[in-house]
Amino acid sequence: MKTLRSAQRDRFRGQVALVVGGAQGIGKAIAARLAREGAQVVISDIDRPMMAHTARGLAQEGISIMTFACDVRSRRQVERMVASVIRRYRRIDVMVYVAGVAKGVPFVRTDEKHWDWTMDINLKGAFLVARAVVPCMIRRRRGKLVFMASTNSWDAEAGLAPYNASKAGVFLLAKTLARELGPFGINSNAIGPGLIRTRLTAPFIKDAKFMHKYKNLIPAGRLGEPEDIAGPAAFLASRDADYVNGVLLFVDGGQLA
Ligand SMILES: NC(=O)c1ccc[n+]([C@@H]2O[C@H](COP(=O)([O-])OP(=O)(O)OC[C@H]3O[C@@H](n4cnc5c(N)ncnc54)[C@H](O)[C@@H]3O)[C@@H](O)[C@H]2O)c1
């Protein structure tokens, strides 16, 4: 863990941050970063054991977070989760939507079930969570929405049609909310990670041919780590980004340069 300067340690003091899909990988790194910078963090995820593991790890640092099991495909579960957070903390200052899935399959073998599964978690879940959180932000005339898009929001990758389409959708959802909610003091932005070492990408990283091709595409000469995304996400969630609205911030070691 990089040490934080004291101004940073307090950047989110008094704020409540909800990280959806925060049990592991990129979401976990963002949740930890926001918590270390003073936010009261709530992690929501479908994976209870991983959430508990992450909460225990942060507790060892003296950081207490709340966890909430929720499947983002269920409107009822999402609404219940968000209502509980608001009931308990009276506010949500920051919402980071990170939940996501990806499975590489050639287009001609991509069936409807695979398409719906990917869209429901990556895109519809983002809509459901934002739909539940935003009224509270409008009432308070402030809020930061950060959506996890991808380099695939922009650059298509073969074998990932539903994923690419879902991530393009996430970016346009973020932009739409920037237009519509900007007048209410709400910022909505997206992050486009490159290839980051997590459970999601483990099958791709194991493939030597894929990796050989990929590494040559990244000027940084290395894969990203979840912590590489945490700082840029914290920036977009912070007051430093008050005048940043509707952007897709690529964090990809220069892959799309
Ligand atoms: N790892 C990368 O290279 C990379 C690149 C670009 C974008 N992303 C995006 O970043 C996000 C996080 O990816 P990651 O690599 O950390 O993956 P990950 O698998 O480590 O984490 C994804 C999280 O989403 C949760 N999740 C999945 N389905 C859910 C559901 N139905 N309800 C609630 N939570 C659910 C998982 O339990 C997990 O904790 C994803 O949206 C992914 O598309 C990742």
Side-chain angles (χ1 to χ4, degrees):
M1 188 210 351
K2 284 181 194 147
T3 49
L4 297 169
R5 271 172 275 139
S6 61
Q8 260 182 319
R9 269 201 301 269
D10 286 334
R11 202 156 51 147
F12 294 99
R13 184 79 50 213
Q15 295 192 32
V16 176
L18 169 64
V19 182
V20 179
Q24 60 209 307
I26 292 171
K28 174 183 173 180
I30 295 170
R33 178 68 181 255
L34 294 175
R36 286 177 192 130
E37 293 197 38
Q40 172 58 60
V41 168
V42 181
I43 286 179
S44 173
D45 203 288
I46 199 172
D47 189 337
R48 284 172 191 266
M50 280 310 288
M51 261 195 311
H53 179 75
T54 294
R56 275 196 304 275
L58 286 169
Q60 280 170 4
E61 282 183 44
I63 293 170
S64 161
I65 61 162
M66 181 184 169
T67 60
F68 214 113
C70 168
D71 183 340
V72 296
R73 290 169 291 185
S74 158
R75 182 174 56 82
R76 267 199 19 231
Q77 287 187 35
V78 166
E79 286 175 354
R80 204 169 340 125
M81 179 273 289
V82 170
S84 301
V85 176
I86 293 171
R87 218 174 15 253
R88 172 141 184 193
Y89 296 109
R90 306 258 157 246
R91 61 200 290 172
I92 295 176
D93 300 280
V94 173
M95 189 289 290
V96 189
Y97 189 85
V98 199
V101 289
K103 197 165 139 209
V105 178
F107 182 66
V108 290
R109 285 203 277 116
T110 301
D111 59 21
E112 191 181 354
K113 203 166 149 212
H114 178 184
W115 179 272
D116 287 346
W117 173 70
T118 311
M119 285 292 170
D120 284 354
I121 296 171
N122 294 6
L123 183 54
K124 186 178 165 193
F127 157 69
L128 290 175
V129 173
R131 180 68 190 79
V133 165
V134 158
C136 168
M137 291 182 167
I138 289 179
R139 272 196 303 279
R140 298 184 58 240
R141 288 289 195 276
R142 64 175 287 179
K144 295 278 193 282
L145 302 168
V146 181
F147 295 91
M148 211 45 61
S150 170
T151 45
N152 296 45
S153 300
W154 182 254
D155 239 13
E157 206 174 324
L160 283 168
Y163 184 78
N164 297 337
S166 72
K167 291 298 177 179
V170 166
F171 174 40
L172 260 292
L173 174 66
K175 274 168 73 79
T176 308
L177 298 189
R179 286 228 169 260
E180 205 165 321
L181 304 176
F184 298 98
I186 297 168
N187 300 67
S188 170
N189 292 292
I191 294 193
L195 186 60
I196 311 296
R197 197 189 309 274
T198 65
R199 179 188 69 158
L200 185 102
T201 50
F204 301 97
I205 292 170
K206 262 196 245 150
D207 179 343
K209 251 180 34 208
F210 172 86
M211 279 313 292
H212 180 71
K213 187 190 86 187
Y214 221 98
K215 267 200 167 155
N216 292 332
L217 294 176
I218 306 171
R222 66 168 177 88
L223 294 190
E225 302 296 333
E227 288 69 26
D228 287 313
I229 306 300
F235 161 68
L236 289 178
S238 76
R239 298 290 313 263
D240 291 336
D242 276 355
Y243 206 59
V244 181
N245 213 358
V247 307
L248 171 53
L249 174 59
F250 289 118
V251 186
D252 62 357
Q255 185 193 320
L256 294 189

